Amino acid sequence: MSSSTVTVVSAPGKVLIIGGYLILDRSYQGLTIGTDARFYTIVKPGNKCSKITVHSPQFNDAAWEYRVNDACQVEAINEDNRNSFVEITVKYTLSVIANRIPKQKFNEIINQGLDIYIAGSNDFYSQRKQLEILKLPLNTSSLRLLTPFNKNDINLKQVHKTGLGSSAALITSLVAALLIHFQCIDNIGNQQKTLIHNVAQMCHCLAQGKIGSGFDVSAAVWGSHVYKRFSPDILNPVIQDENNVDGATIDNIVDPSTSNWDNEVVPTALPPRFTLVIADVDIGSNTPKLVGKVLAWRKANPEQAKALWDTLASHNSMVIDGLRELRSEYENNKSEYEKAIELCSEVKGSEWATLAEQKTLHSNIINGLIKIFQSFQKVRQFLREMSTLSGAPIEPPVQTKLLDACTEIPGVIMAGVPGAGGFDAIFCIGIGNKFVENVENLWLNWKEMNVGPLLANESSEGLKIENLDSVKGLATILT
Ligand SMILES: Nc1ncnc2c1ncn2[C@@H]1O[C@H](COP(=O)(O)OP(=O)(O)OP(=O)(O)O)[C@@H](O)[C@H]1O
Ligand SMILES: C[C@@](O)(CCOP(=O)(O)O)CC(=O)O
C-alpha cells in the first residue's frame, strides 16, 4: 500500500462473557467475544505542512492537531482541547515508526501532513437520545433506521458508552492504520498483529493511567479468543517514567521478537447456530470502583478468595471447553448437530436434561448444550458469591431477576453480565434464531430497568484492512 493512498483499518468491540476479575491474574483464563460493532481509522495525506489532524466527526469540538518536531516528537498544537487517548496513541506509535523506518521516508510522509478520521459503529454509544429526538421507540428496528456513524451533537465528555470497549478499539485501529500508512508493516498477519497489540496495549495502559488485564485491546486485535493476560512488568519502564523514556526503550518494549510479552491468545468463535445479543442498561456502573472493591477483598481474605477463584475458574473452564466440544460435534456430524439445535431451540435450557433422557438420538450434542447451560448457571452463582463477599454489585439482584427471566426463554443457553458486571449491560446467547425476538420483547417490556437492545452480534474476526467505499456510510464521515 502506498503512503499516498488512503489507509483504512477497523477493529472490533468486545464482550467478555467468561473470566471477569479472574483474568486480572495470569493464572486464570477468560473468553472474550468479538462483535460486528467496529471502530474505523482512516489515514489520508494532508495538505498542511507537518501537521497531523485527528477528526472524530461523530462529536462536537472533536478535532485535535499535532506538530512533529525535528526529533520526531509529537506536540499538541492547541493546549486547551486535548484527547489523551488519541494524543498518547499518535505520539507513541509515531515514535515506534520513527525507530523502524528510514528517517527520510518518515519525514516525507510527515512533511505532507496527515488527516486522520476516527469513527465507531453506533452501538459503541447509547442512541437513546437520538431515538427520542426522532420520536422512535427504543428497539432494534429503530436502531436500524439511524445513519451509520451517527453524529451525536454532544461532545465526547457527555457521551454514554455501552461497554463494547470504544477506547481499546479506537486505539488499536489507530495504531494499525498508522503502522500501515507509514509502510512500517505491509499487511496484518500474525507477526504484525503482535506488534500492533504490543503498541496498542502500551498506549491504552498509558491513556487509562493503569494496567488492566488488557483483554479489550487483545479482542480488538484478535477478535473472539480465550485470553490469558500479559505480565504487567513489561510496561514498567514506560509507565513509571513516561516523560523520560526514549524511543529505543519504547521500541524494545513493543518489539515482537525481543520482548517478553507472555499473553496467550487462542482464537475461537461461538459454535455454529449460536447467536449473541447484547443490551445496555441505562443505570451504569463505575468499573474501576467495582474492581477496587473486589481486589481489596481478595487481598484481605487470600485463602477464602483463592478457594472462590479456583471454584469459579473450574466452571469457567467447563463453559469454554463445552463450547469447544460443540464446535467439534458440528464438524463431526453437521446434520445431527442441526437437528439437535432445532430440537433444543424450542425448549427451555432447564428442560434439555429431560429431552436428553427421552432421546437416544443427538445425545452428545444435547449433553454438550446441557454442560454449557449448567456450568454457566454455576458461573453466575459464584459471581453472586463474589458480589456478596466483596460488597461489589457484580450481579446485583435487579440484574439477577432480568437474567433469570432471559434464561427462561426457550433456546437461551447463557444470560449474564459482561466484563466487570454491575448495572451497565447484559448479554444473552442462544441457539437457533427464535429466541432473539422473544428476548428483545422481554427487554422492551421490562419495567424495573430501562433495557436498550444493541444491534451488535458476534463477529469473531479481529483487525481488518478495509476499503473505504465498502463500509456503508464510512466515506460520508469525511465530508
Ligand atoms: N469516537 C471517539 N473519538 C475520539 N476519542 C474517543 C472516541 N470514543 C472514545 N474515545 C476516547 O476514549 C475515552 C473513553 O475511554 P474509557 O477507557 O474510559 O472507556 P471504555 O472503557 O473504552 O468504554 P466502553 O467500554 O464503554 O466503550 C474517551 O474519553 C475518549 O478520549
Ligand atoms: C473486571 C475486569 O476483569 C473486566 C472489565 O471488563 P469491562 O471493561 O467491564 O468489559 C477488569 C479487566 O479485565 O481489566
Side-chain angles (χ1 to χ4, degrees):
M1 184 170 306
S2 144
S3 58
S4 61
T5 59
V6 176
T7 306
V8 188
V9 177
S10 74
K14 53 70 194 172
V15 186
L16 184 73
I17 65 166
I18 288 290
Y21 301 96
L22 269 63
I23 48 163
L24 288 161
D25 181 333
R26 235 192 89 64
S27 323
Y28 302 101
Q29 59 179 357
L31 172 59
T32 179
I33 299 294
T35 69
D36 54 9
R38 300 181 78 89
F39 244 89
Y40 296 81
T41 294
I42 303 163
V43 184
K44 299 195 318 156
N47 49 18
K48 296 167 204 128
C49 214
S50 308
K51 195 154 106 180
I52 300 173
T53 309
V54 182
H55 311 259
S56 183
Q58 290 166 293
F59 297 96
N60 295 339
D61 300 324
W64 306 278
E65 293 184 325
Y66 307 102
R67 191 182 298 113
V68 181
N69 68 20
D70 290 342
C72 302
Q73 287 157 339
V74 174
E75 294 161 353
I77 293 180
N78 183 351
E79 292 285 327
D80 302 329
N81 177 19
R82 297 178 76 166
N83 178 327
S84 54
F85 285 70
V86 168
E87 186 171 327
I88 285 171
T89 308
V90 171
K91 176 174 162 189
Y92 283 88
T93 310
L94 288 190
S95 156
V96 171
I97 292 170
N99 254 279
R100 285 173 172 254
I101 67 171
K103 195 163 178 18
Q104 189 198 346
K105 187 166 155 195
F106 182 86
N107 286 342
E108 257 169 41
I109 299 174
I110 285 295
N111 289 343
Q112 264 184 298
L114 292 173
D115 262 326
I116 303 175
Y117 292 82
I118 46 187
S121 300
N122 289 342
D123 262 3
F124 281 98
Y125 309 108
S126 167
Q127 301 296 331
R128 285 183 163 81
K129 270 263 143 52
Q130 302 301 313
L131 296 181
E132 257 172 46
I133 294 168
L134 296 166
K135 300 200 169 27
L136 288 171
L138 176 61
N139 58 33
T140 50
S141 309
S142 305
L143 291 171
R144 285 195 187 90
L145 297 174
L146 296 177
T147 318
F149 312 105
N150 203 20
K151 294 200 162 61
N152 284 278
D153 199 22
I154 49 173
N155 60 38
L156 266 162
K157 292 213 164 66
Q158 298 163 294
V159 75
H160 285 214
K161 294 168 290 155
T162 56
L164 292 181
S166 54
S167 62
L170 151 67
I171 286 180
T172 305
S173 68
L174 179 54
V175 168
L178 284 170
L179 289 171
I180 289 173
H181 195 79
F182 279 81
Q183 296 166 359
C184 189
I185 56 177
D186 55 9
N187 63 50
I188 305 188
N190 259 337
Q191 176 85 358
Q192 292 83 355
K193 278 187 176 167
T194 303
L195 175 67
I196 295 164
H197 166 268
N198 298 353
V199 178
Q201 200 69 265
M202 173 180 69
C203 295
H204 198 238
C205 289
L206 283 166
Q208 291 199 316
K210 67 172 172 73
I211 308 181
S213 72
F215 81 91
D216 40 7
V217 169
S218 192
V221 176
W222 281 285
S224 304
H225 64 276
V226 178
Y227 180 69
K228 259 194 193 171
R229 68 160 306 149
F230 59 93
S231 301
D233 293 355
I234 183 91
L235 290 176
N236 275 348
V238 61
I239 293 278
Q240 279 166 2
D241 201 5
E242 191 188 332
N243 296 323
N244 288 316
V245 64
D246 58 43
T249 308
I250 292 169
D251 195 60
N252 192 43
I253 289 174
V254 299
D255 191 333
S257 56
T258 61
S259 65
N260 292 318
W261 290 83
D262 53 1
N263 50 317
E264 286 173 26
V265 172
V266 182
T268 187
L270 290 175
R273 305 288 312 278
F274 274 51
T275 303
L276 165 77
V277 288
I278 317 162
D280 85 309
V281 175
D282 203 18
I283 302 179
S285 286
N286 180 328
T287 302
K289 246 192 189 165
L290 291 174
V291 174
K293 271 200 160 163
V294 171
L295 295 187
W297 178 82
R298 186 182 185 210
K299 201 169 170 199
N301 303 275
E303 276 170 29
Q304 203 184 356
K306 168 125 182 43
L308 174 57
W309 261 232
D310 287 347
T311 310
L312 182 49
S314 72
H315 296 292
N316 283 349
S317 295
M318 274 198 265
V319 175
I320 293 172
D321 294 346
L323 291 167
R324 194 181 45 238
E325 286 154 16
L326 269 187
R327 281 197 308 278
S328 349
E329 291 293 341
Y330 172 79
E331 292 306 329
N332 290 342
N333 194 337
K334 296 193 172 74
S335 75
E336 275 289 293
Y337 182 91
E338 292 290 344
K339 283 182 204 148
I341 293 288
E342 280 309 315
L343 186 70
C344 290
S345 67
E346 305 277 353
V347 178
K348 291 179 191 178
S350 57
E351 290 167 10
W352 291 340
T354 324
L355 268 189
E357 280 161 23
Q358 290 163 359
K359 299 264 166 189
T360 42
L361 276 175
H362 330 306
S363 61
N364 282 356
I365 302 158
I366 300 180
N367 285 327
L369 293 169
I370 295 169
K371 173 175 171 178
I372 298 167
F373 180 87
Q374 292 179 346
S375 306
F376 194 74
Q377 291 294 99
K378 288 280 178 196
V379 167
R380 283 184 53 205
Q381 178 192 325
F382 288 105
L383 278 176
R384 287 194 295 272
E385 193 169 325
M386 195 190 278
S387 296
T388 311
L389 292 169
S390 67
I394 300 164
E395 192 194 288
V398 283
Q399 292 278 54
T400 300
K401 209 168 160 196
L402 174 59
L403 297 173
D404 287 347
C406 295
T407 309
E408 281 295 296
I409 291 175
V412 170
I413 190 161
M414 295 182 238
V417 284
F423 300 92
D424 271 344
I426 55 167
F427 72 86
C428 209
I429 296 176
I431 55 174
N433 41 29
K434 290 197 189 111
F435 85 94
V436 173
E437 198 183 328
N438 295 332
V439 164
E440 183 170 345
N441 283 336
L442 174 85
W443 290 349
L444 299 179
N445 293 308
W446 197 255
K447 297 280 178 284
E448 290 164 44
M449 285 182 296
N450 185 332
V451 186
L454 304 184
L455 290 177
N457 296 126
E458 184 202 19
S459 165
S460 54
E461 221 176 343
L463 270 174
K464 269 200 287 196
I465 298 178
E466 304 271 6
N467 183 325
L468 182 60
D469 296 316
S470 310
V471 181
K472 196 173 162 215
L474 191 61
T476 58
I477 70 151
L478 301 179
T479 53

